[in-house]
Amino acid sequence: MRVDLIQHTPDPEKVVAAAARLCYSSDSVSDLCERLDDKTVASFVRKLREMGHLSPFEHVSFQFAIDGVSRALSHQLVRHRIASYSQRSQRYVEEKGFEFVVPPSVQRNLEALEQFETVMARLQKDYRELLNCVPAEDARYVLPNACTTSVMATFNARSLLNFFEHRTCIRAQWEIRSLAEKMLKLVRGVAPNLFSEAGPTCITQGVCHQGTYSCGRLKTLEGKK
């Protein structure tokens, strides 16, 4: 898996602070931005987050290039609807000799790994043979969820906070959790105040919504208080 933050709104924290201040000021956005120093911006962003006043966070966006992830992951990713996606098409791009993601549980089990690789090899052969007699858009029906793909994804900051809340949770599927952790590290590098409190609700809110499926981390955190 490779994840790159290829573009984002310039000076995202100042944009968020200016958007919020505009609601209560007769000044222009340009004038507001000129009077916002780093200390004021950081304080304002933290206050907005603590109040749950997150609509100003929607004015800044972050664009990611995601490569080497499985189709199983991409099916989960697009469930986060307030975002924009472009994905390599299996209709127009042939997947001869496709690469695939091997789950850790399979890697740890030699018998399972052998069976997994045998299935992948057979599917690669079947796919190549189908390409000789049907269009790629139909041959792709035999391709597995393990097949790798590339995605470009653009989120606004508020949508990212929601994404991190759900996908950095230990209950999240391992591959998309890894993606979320990489994305969180990248955005914290350019907007630390926007995302300093991002993460699963057990850490950010002191509550777990998983019920009987809870991993138990909340109790561990409470025990450390």
Side-chain angles (χ1 to χ4, degrees), residues 121-215:
R122 185 172 69 245
L123 289 175
Q124 288 174 332
K125 177 177 178 294
D126 292 342
Y127 175 75
R128 290 193 300 270
E129 291 177 352
L130 280 171
L131 285 175
N132 294 324
C133 53
V134 300
E137 67 177 20
D138 294 333
R140 64 179 167 164
Y141 277 74
V142 302
L143 293 173
N145 274 336
C147 187
T148 59
T149 190
S150 295
V151 180
M152 183 178 292
T154 303
F155 289 77
N156 69 50
R158 186 177 190 175
S159 185
L160 271 178
L161 289 173
N162 177 267
F163 175 72
F164 295 141
E165 179 179 306
H166 288 87
R167 300 302 186 173
T168 60
C169 172
I170 291 177
R171 284 282 302 159
Q173 187 258 355
W174 64 270
E175 189 182 12
I176 199 168
R177 185 172 68 248
S178 178
L179 171 66
E181 290 168 349
K182 292 178 184 296
M183 290 169 62
L184 178 53
K185 183 177 180 180
L186 288 169
V187 295
R188 277 180 172 164
V190 296
N193 294 296
L194 289 180
F195 298 103
S196 62
E197 299 298 323
T201 59
C202 58
I203 293 176
T204 62
Q205 301 175 28
V207 63
C208 177
H209 299 294
Q210 296 296 320
T212 57
Y213 294 101
S214 175
C215 70

Side-chain angles (χ1 to χ4, degrees), residues 90-106:
Q90 291 180 336
R91 182 183 185 190
Y92 299 109
V93 180
E94 292 184 356
E95 296 280 8
K96 293 179 180 178
F98 62 81
E99 295 184 355
F100 51 88
V101 174
V102 183
S105 62
V106 174

Side-chain angles (χ1 to χ4, degrees), residues 23-99:
C23 298
Y24 307 98
S25 174
S26 59
D27 294 333
S28 68
V29 175
S30 297
D31 289 340
L32 289 172
C33 286
E34 288 180 3
R35 294 200 300 271
L36 286 169
D37 57 39
D38 291 345
K39 184 177 180 180
T40 301
V41 167
S43 175
F44 211 79
V45 168
R46 285 196 297 269
K47 185 176 180 180
L48 289 171
R49 194 179 59 238
E50 291 167 359
M51 295 171 61
H53 181 33
L54 299 180
S55 59
F57 284 49
E58 297 174 16
H59 290 289
V60 297
S61 62
F62 300 82
Q63 188 176 80
F64 303 87
I66 303 166
D67 296 292
V69 296
S70 71
R71 280 269 170 168
L73 181 148
S74 68
H75 294 327
Q76 298 176 77
L77 182 62
V78 297
R79 292 174 186 170
H80 295 271
R81 296 174 180 84
I82 307 177
S84 299
Y85 304 99
S86 295
Q87 183 173 14
R88 186 174 67 224
S89 171
Q90 291 180 336
R91 182 183 185 190
Y92 299 109
V93 180
E94 292 184 356
E95 296 280 8
K96 293 179 180 178
F98 62 81
E99 295 184 355

